[in-house]
């Protein structure tokens, strides 16, 4: 599977689980495994939690 952002090859382990975060080795984008059916994997943009610094 390739990164939706930069088209680099993503290494998704066989034992990866739904909800696991995968990072692109080239651009550093984070993706969450949304669905997994055998070798068919669907990714979605990982939620980034911003700091609110107590505001």
């Amino acid at each position: 599977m390739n990164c939706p952002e930069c088209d680099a090859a993503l290494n998704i382990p066989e034992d990866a689980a739904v909800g696991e975060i995968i990072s692109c080795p080239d651009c550093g984008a984070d993706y969450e495994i949304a669905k997994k059916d055998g070798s068919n994997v669907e990714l979605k943009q990982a939620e980034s939690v911003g700091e609110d610094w107590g505001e």
Side-chain angles (χ1 to χ4, degrees):
M1 172 164 256
N2 290 350
C3 175
E5 189 72 34
C6 70
D7 206 37
L10 292 175
N11 181 22
I12 300 174
E14 287 292 321
D15 63 348
V18 171
E20 197 167 319
I21 303 295
I22 302 294
S23 294
C24 176
D26 283 4
C27 71
D30 290 329
Y31 299 98
E32 182 179 338
I33 298 176
K35 290 182 188 173
K36 186 170 188 227
D37 183 24
S39 62
N40 186 23
V41 176
E42 185 178 312
L43 299 177
K44 68 177 183 178
Q45 191 78 34
E47 298 287 326
S48 60
V49 178
E51 290 289 333
D52 66 2
W53 302 104
E55 294 176 7

